[in-house]
Amino acid sequence: MTSDPSATGAPARPRATARLQFHAGFTLDDAAALVDYFADLGISHLYASPLLAARPGSTHGYDTLEYGRINPELGGHAALARLVGRLRARGMGLIVDIVPNHMAVGGSGNAWWDSLLCWGRASPYAHYFDIDWSPPDPALRGRVLLPFLAAPYGDSLAKGELDLRFDPRDGRFSCWHHDHRFPICPNHYAGLFSDGDLPPVAAALLGALRTVPPCAAPAYLAALADWSREAEGARLIGHALARHSAATTAGRARLHALLERQHYRLAWWRTASDLINWRRFFDITGLAGLCVEHPDVFDAVHGTIVALYGQGLIDGVRVDHIDGLTAPGAYCDRLRRALAAVAPQRPPDAPPGPAIYVEKILAADETLPASWGVDGTTGYDFLEQVDLLLHDASGGDALNDLWVWSAGGALSFDAEQRAARQSILDRGLAAEYARAVHALAALAASDARTRDFTQAAIARVLRQVLLAFPVYRTYAADRAREAGAASRLLHDVCRQVRPTLAASQHPLLDWLERQLDGSLLPDTADAIAFFEHLTAPLAAKAVEDTAFYRYGRLLSRNDVGTHPGHFAGTPQGFHAACAARRHDWPDAMLATATHDHKRGEDARARLAVLSEPAADWARTAMAWCEHNLPLRRRGHGMPNAHRAPGASNLHRASGASSLHRTGGASSLHGADGTPSFHRADGASIPDRADELILYQALIGAWPLPDAGGASTLPPDFRDRIAAWQTKALREAKRHTDWTNVNQEYEESCGAFLDGLLDAKASHGFPAMMDAFVSRIAPAGALNGLSQTLLRLTAPGMPDLYQGCEFWDFSLVDPDNRRPVDYAARAAALASGADLPALAPHWRDGRIKQRLIAALLRARADHPALFARGSYQPLRVQGVRRHHVLAFARLLDGQALLVLAPRLVLPLAPSPDDLSCPDGTWRSTTLDLSGLPDGQGDRTWGSRIWRSLLRPGAVFDDAALHRLAPLADTLPFDVLLSAS
């Protein structure tokens, strides 16, 4: 490997990636202009959001419309070639995000979907989509529900919002509803015209269309388009459209009759959760699930990506939402084989590979299936590991008490997510739940021994299994490959559920376990697929998209991949995770920020500090609530689904450092576990739970105050927080949600926010926030630098999310996808200032960029040490032993030693330069006995260590033993043993 950034030929494996979000405002050519910057920073591969043709104006690319070409809004194939040319010139590669699970439907422009709607099951694309052609509702058998209407079907028809049109470009009739196009089957075109009106040629053409199959239709439609451009054709087609105009009673009747003959049923968008008979991405009706388990569908979806790999224009892929696929293991096999098949075609300067990463959210004790044969996950698991490390377990009780006080008898996170699962099953995913129950009931009915297991009884038991399900999904559909793991997990879940069921339900539970564990395949394949396609979106919607917004003990523990019920971790736990990754997944991606994160990596790092002075933070939060009470509004008949007024009455004892419960929390759920709704007439808005969550969001996103303790809020700050607040309130689904907007509550919360941020108001809350953030900002900055250091030195391959070279105090999307000022970052990097010189200017973020650049340079200079070096935890002893994490990476006589701070508030980092006071590390030592005894004629006792972060700084083992690298300077370091 070479460390020359101008060398041609990308490294064989990604060494460090930089994730970029592409859209019309940031194109492939825009990225090409930044290649030199990323190369100088030390990045080996750019890591692109999806590049294939998506909906016009898409800001993320996950709504693919066409798999056969590069998105023209990004510059198309030519721009991709230009980008890769620049990358190759700097010895870099490209990883691209792919979306095999779903594509955009509704609207217009999806040729596969349009064919399906035109021809139904006769369409050559019918099996591309995961459609239940035999659902319980007889009105939908053989048809596709299209819940895209803005109002109930009858109202839309009556109001003239369904409009039959003809497109002379392709000879097709379609019904339009605003931006949605619903194609009419060509077999029905002849019926649009009045008998006797048609000239013989047109009559023959339309007569032939009555029975034409899909494969022969294009020629006839082209002829119809030609006829439409003749005066007579245009007149008669206009007359046919007028006959079906919803403006007249007769026209509405004809249009309704025409639509009822189609292979779809138009419906109000609100019917989707109850009736939809095709798989969606989660509960998003505009994204339809694909069946890439079929070889021809796989080839159609991946043809362009495979070709790009063969052409040397990409070097690997990130597979989006692997848990959405029916058989992820089989899919990974097929993907790997497809890429390997074209590898011989790759140009000489293209590296071997490919790299394959999968987006997978792991449960606390879950591991990625080794049989998938991929490089690893996209790094959510590492985000959780480092996040746990930065939280102080001793603060958990005080923050629990604060949350109980603010939320009026709050639930634990486990109970919160269980309640959210109940709600999602009843509302957002009710149709998917019914689909699984229906499949299981069919299995029961087919056997005389189980035919008395009714559909309702199956639904009751299955619900309990789903509420207790601890992971996104099992993989029994992968047949023997993962059936054993599925069986064990199902058995554990059923054992947990059994005590909650009546004894009479136990036989049904046992039967259910056998149906879903993979032991009876292939007879149970459909039921297993429906079940596994339900558990993943249920987990995502209930946990990440609901409970994360309801549960506010400490928001730094609520992010994608984290487990908020686990408040803090230990150095031992972090070491164990790193050792396991080094052994099992040495090339796995490491991330602390992504396009899906709930808040920026440095916002989380700052909020983590609240776990250290937890009781002080509790007192501050309660004081703020009292201080800002005049800003809250009184609600009128406000529905409150989740908190009972007066459910808990807590107070602060004078001078106490903790909160004390004086009243018991009332039950928030009925006997069946469903939410207990009540009226909170006259309750203050926002309620205290939402108020506490808002305060934490403000703390995390607040601009860094200057040395004098004052900050200037950017002009867009209020709008950013307001957009986050609206999303958070709706995702929580307590007082308002996306489908049932509570305008009073949302407007009152917005007014409360405006009052808080009003710098001219007499209450002075912005100054209070400045003062509080100023106190914790140095510790938050050290947390941010520590997690960055760990991401760049722990086993695995580090990923840098766009813009995170500087401080990242972003909020949830779309805030975390805002434009990045790369000119400022390039200028900062070019300045060449070292870490000690930048320490007094830590507020501008350049110190973080320099840390990244220094360690990425080290990774380029010593690739094998970082990629394959063993992982050796080192013990810290003495007074400050809990405040520094130490480990070494060892390979072939070379050693890298890492010292990273944690729980840093007691270290009292200086607001001037983040250094710790003199004597901080006195009586604290580093035990080097865990390192090998020696190499050749050198012993570890005489080894010389060179700092990678401080030019010219060297230490011997004795100095390292007393933690001299941390004294009188930034309290972290990475050192390399001198050769």
Side-chain angles (χ1 to χ4, degrees):
M1 298 289 289
T2 177
S3 62
D4 180 3
S6 66
T8 59
R13 306 300 298 169
R15 188 178 65 242
T17 54
R19 168 75 182 209
L20 300 180
Q21 296 295 118
F22 288 93
H23 47 81
F26 184 82
T27 67
L28 294 161
D29 284 323
D30 293 324
L34 298 172
V35 166
D36 287 340
Y37 163 69
F38 284 115
D40 293 342
L41 185 64
I43 295 298
S44 71
H45 288 66
L46 294 186
Y47 164 28
S49 62
L51 299 182
L52 300 184
R55 282 197 192 283
S58 174
T59 59
H60 49 75
Y62 290 99
D63 44 0
T64 309
L65 274 180
E66 188 178 345
Y67 285 96
R69 60 181 179 140
I70 302 297
N71 194 340
E73 292 187 354
L74 309 183
H77 190 279
L80 176 62
R82 289 191 292 270
L83 169 60
V84 175
R86 294 290 298 273
L87 290 170
R88 296 296 188 238
R90 294 303 306 267
M92 298 171 68
L94 178 66
I95 307 293
V96 66
D97 203 338
I98 62 174
V99 191
N101 176 68
H102 56 266
M103 66 187 309
V105 297
S108 61
N110 186 328
W112 296 354
W113 185 251
D114 284 351
S115 173
L116 166 70
L117 300 185
C118 264
W119 303 102
R121 301 181 81 166
S123 166
Y125 302 104
H127 68 292
Y128 278 41
F129 299 95
D130 191 355
I131 296 168
D132 182 2
W133 295 102
S134 301
D137 186 348
L140 284 174
R141 287 174 190 165
R143 304 176 76 190
V144 179
L145 184 77
L146 296 184
F148 295 108
L149 302 185
Y153 171 77
D155 293 346
S156 297
L157 186 65
K159 291 187 292 185
E161 293 177 347
L162 298 175
D163 183 25
L164 186 67
R165 302 177 194 171
F166 178 79
D167 190 339
R169 295 170 299 178
D170 60 11
R172 294 181 181 273
F173 286 92
S174 299
C175 180
W176 284 82
H177 176 72
H178 303 302
D179 295 331
H180 294 284
R181 174 185 178 180
F182 309 115
I184 302 299
C185 179
N187 295 159
H188 304 143
Y189 285 6
L192 300 176
F193 296 84
S194 301
D195 293 338
D197 284 353
L198 295 172
V201 174
L205 173 61
L206 290 166
L209 277 171
R210 288 182 184 274
T211 58
V212 71
C215 60
Y220 291 91
L221 296 175
L224 186 62
D226 290 341
W227 179 60
S228 75
R229 287 187 281 272
E230 299 175 5
E232 183 179 40
R235 179 180 64 80
L236 291 173
I237 288 173
H239 180 62
L241 296 176
R243 292 181 70 242
H244 293 79
S245 170
T248 67
T249 301
R252 285 195 297 274
R254 292 190 188 99
L255 181 58
H256 172 64
L258 174 67
L259 292 172
E260 288 297 280
R261 292 197 297 272
Q262 302 312 304
H263 298 286
Y264 50 81
R265 176 187 165 193
L266 298 184
W268 189 21
W269 65 268
R270 288 187 181 274
T271 67
S273 62
D274 292 326
L275 293 177
I276 200 161
N277 64 329
W278 42 275
R279 178 166 56 88
R280 302 173 287 177
F281 172 66
F282 298 165
D283 61 351
I284 302 174
T285 306
L287 298 173
L290 291 166
C291 297
V292 292
E293 63 270 22
H294 302 313
D296 61 330
V297 181
F298 177 94
D299 291 343
V301 168
H302 295 84
T304 299
I305 291 296
V306 171
L308 292 174
Y309 181 70
Q311 296 161 12
L313 293 179
I314 65 171
D315 304 301
V317 296
R318 178 256 199 196
V319 181
D320 181 63
H321 190 42
I322 190 78
D323 277 343
L325 307 182
T326 297
Y331 167 86
C332 290
D333 278 349
R334 183 172 285 136
L335 177 62
R336 194 168 52 252
R337 291 197 306 269
L339 295 172
V342 298
Q345 304 170 18
R346 287 169 64 78
D349 64 343
I356 301 176
Y357 303 98
V358 295
E359 186 204 21
K360 165 67 181 167
I361 294 176
L362 296 167
D365 298 319
E366 187 182 13
T367 58
L368 192 66
S371 61
W372 288 4
V374 299
D375 289 273
T377 72
T378 53
Y380 298 140
D381 43 332
F382 178 77
L383 184 154
E384 165 71 336
Q385 292 154 14
V386 74
D387 199 59
L388 284 168
L389 185 71
L390 298 180
H391 285 76
D392 188 347
S394 68
D397 288 345
L399 294 183
N400 279 337
D401 284 347
L402 173 64
W403 179 239
V404 170
W405 172 81
S406 66
L411 304 170
S412 67
F413 181 77
D414 183 62
E416 197 74 79
Q417 65 94 14
R418 184 179 176 91
R421 285 173 178 262
Q422 288 268 28
S423 175
I424 299 299
L425 284 175
D426 289 335
R427 298 175 61 190
L429 297 176
E432 287 79 359
Y433 177 42
R435 190 179 183 186
V437 170
H438 182 62
L440 288 163
L443 285 174
S446 68
D447 189 328
R449 295 168 296 180
T450 57
R451 69 179 190 180
D452 289 339
F453 290 162
T454 65
Q455 189 158 310
I458 291 171
R460 286 190 289 270
V461 175
L462 179 63
R463 176 181 288 265
Q464 296 308 310
V465 171
L466 292 168
L467 294 180
F469 214 68
V471 298
Y472 256 54
R473 60 167 288 182
T474 54
Y475 303 102
D478 262 325
R479 305 297 173 99
R481 176 191 303 273
E482 300 297 340
S487 178
R488 290 188 295 274
L489 190 140
L490 257 297
H491 181 73
D492 290 343
V493 172
C494 290
R495 183 175 57 187
Q496 176 185 344
V497 164
R498 185 176 295 271
T500 70
L501 300 175
S504 61
Q505 295 175 301
H506 292 174
L508 198 159
L509 178 66
D510 295 337
W511 173 84
L512 194 66
E513 180 182 342
R514 291 193 299 274
Q515 307 312 300
L516 298 176
D517 68 6
S519 62
L520 300 179
L521 286 167
D523 296 343
T524 56
D526 287 347
I528 287 173
F530 293 156
F531 175 73
E532 294 183 336
H533 282 311
L534 171 60
T535 60
L538 177 60
K541 296 305 297 179
V543 180
E544 286 92 4
D545 290 349
T546 303
F548 276 9
Y549 292 94
R550 288 182 179 178
Y551 185 72
R553 175 172 63 175
L554 188 57
L555 294 189
S556 49
R557 291 296 301 126
N558 297 13
D559 218 307
V560 180
T562 66
H563 308 290
H566 301 169
F567 184 70
T570 64
Q572 293 79 11
F574 183 82
H575 288 318
C578 286
R581 190 184 321 107
R582 162 64 185 82
H583 183 270
D584 299 329
W585 303 100
D587 297 313
M589 194 175 282
L590 308 179
T592 49
T594 75
H595 63 284
D596 280 331
H597 66 229
K598 302 301 184 187
R599 51 193 38 81
E601 61 185 18
D602 298 302
R604 285 198 317 275
R606 182 189 290 172
L607 285 169
V609 177
L610 300 183
S611 69
E612 299 181 67
D616 291 339
W617 158 237
R619 284 192 289 271
T620 298
M622 296 174 74
W624 286 355
C625 288
E626 183 175 353
H627 179 81
N628 294 320
L629 183 61
L631 300 178
R632 297 167 74 185
R633 291 182 177 179
R634 306 298 291 180
H636 302 286
M638 182 182 71
N640 184 341
H642 218 67
R643 311 292 180 210
S648 182
N649 176 27
L650 290 93
H651 69 87
R652 245 180 323 162
S654 177
S657 62
S658 62
L659 306 172
H660 303 277
R661 185 190 304 270
T662 59
S666 69
S667 171
L668 303 178
H669 295 81
D672 62 351
T674 58
S676 297
F677 286 75
H678 61 84
R679 309 301 296 183
D681 295 336
S684 294
I685 304 175
D687 69 12
R688 277 183 171 162
D690 288 334
E691 186 178 3
L692 180 62
I693 287 172
L694 173 60
Y695 290 149
Q696 292 181 67
L698 287 170
I699 290 169
W702 202 258
L704 276 165
D706 59 25
S711 65
T712 301
L713 297 183
D716 65 346
F717 186 77
R718 183 270 170 200
D719 290 342
R720 290 174 52 216
I721 297 293
W724 164 84
Q725 183 181 54
T726 298
K727 180 170 184 174
L729 294 172
R730 292 181 181 180
E731 294 283 27
K733 308 171 188 67
R734 294 176 51 240
H735 300 297
T736 184
D737 63 33
W738 296 105
T739 60
N740 297 285
V741 174
N742 183 336
Q743 196 166 10
E744 178 195 6
Y745 193 83
E746 291 187 7
E747 289 179 353
S748 296
C749 288
F752 180 76
L753 173 64
D754 288 342
L756 290 180
L757 298 182
D758 186 354
K760 298 179 181 179
S762 59
H763 61 72
F765 183 74
M768 297 168 67
M769 182 64 74
D770 275 344
F772 186 82
V773 171
S774 292
R775 289 198 299 272
I776 66 170
L782 277 184
N783 272 350
L785 294 171
S786 184
Q787 74 176 351
T788 299
L789 182 152
L790 292 172
R791 189 179 77 243
L792 295 166
T793 56
M797 190 278 297
D799 174 50
L800 172 71
Y801 183 65
Q802 62 176 29
C804 289
E805 307 94 296
F806 286 3
W807 301 123
D808 173 24
F809 302 121
S810 64
L811 300 155
V812 72
D813 68 276
D815 190 73
N816 59 11
R817 303 173 189 179
R818 289 175 297 142
V820 176
D821 185 352
Y822 282 112
R825 285 159 175 77
L829 185 65
S831 72
D834 59 32
L835 277 174
L838 292 174
H841 311 285
W842 62 271
R843 291 175 178 82
D844 62 21
R846 291 180 296 156
I847 189 172
K848 183 182 177 186
Q849 183 195 53
R850 181 53 54 185
L851 174 64
I852 292 169
L855 292 178
L856 289 183
R857 169 58 61 184
R859 293 184 73 95
D861 289 341
H862 308 281
L865 176 62
F866 282 89
R868 295 295 179 263
S870 65
Y871 183 88
Q872 179 63 56
L874 298 177
R875 186 171 57 171
V876 180
Q877 299 171 304
V879 175
R880 299 293 190 186
R881 64 187 181 278
H882 300 301
H883 300 283
V884 62
L885 181 89
F887 62 86
R889 305 293 307 278
L890 310 170
L891 183 70
D892 297 336
Q894 194 173 37
L896 181 86
L897 196 145
V898 177
L899 299 171
R902 62 182 294 267
L903 311 184
V904 296
L905 194 67
L907 303 181
S910 168
D912 296 329
D913 60 5
L914 302 182
S915 64
C916 299
D918 291 344
T920 295
W921 302 104
R922 189 178 299 127
S923 303
T924 306
T925 59
L926 178 63
D927 183 357
L928 298 176
S929 63
L931 295 175
D933 291 337
Q935 299 291 327
D937 60 353
R938 300 184 63 83
T939 66
W940 285 102
S942 61
R943 180 70 51 142
I944 300 300
W945 300 86
R946 175 174 59 87
S947 172
L948 298 177
L949 307 182
R950 299 174 180 84
V954 294
F955 305 89
D956 60 16
D957 279 358
L960 204 57
H961 174 71
R962 62 178 185 271
L963 293 175
L966 308 185
D968 305 319
T969 184
L970 294 165
F972 56 85
D973 209 345
V974 179
L975 305 108
L976 190 69
S977 60
S979 59

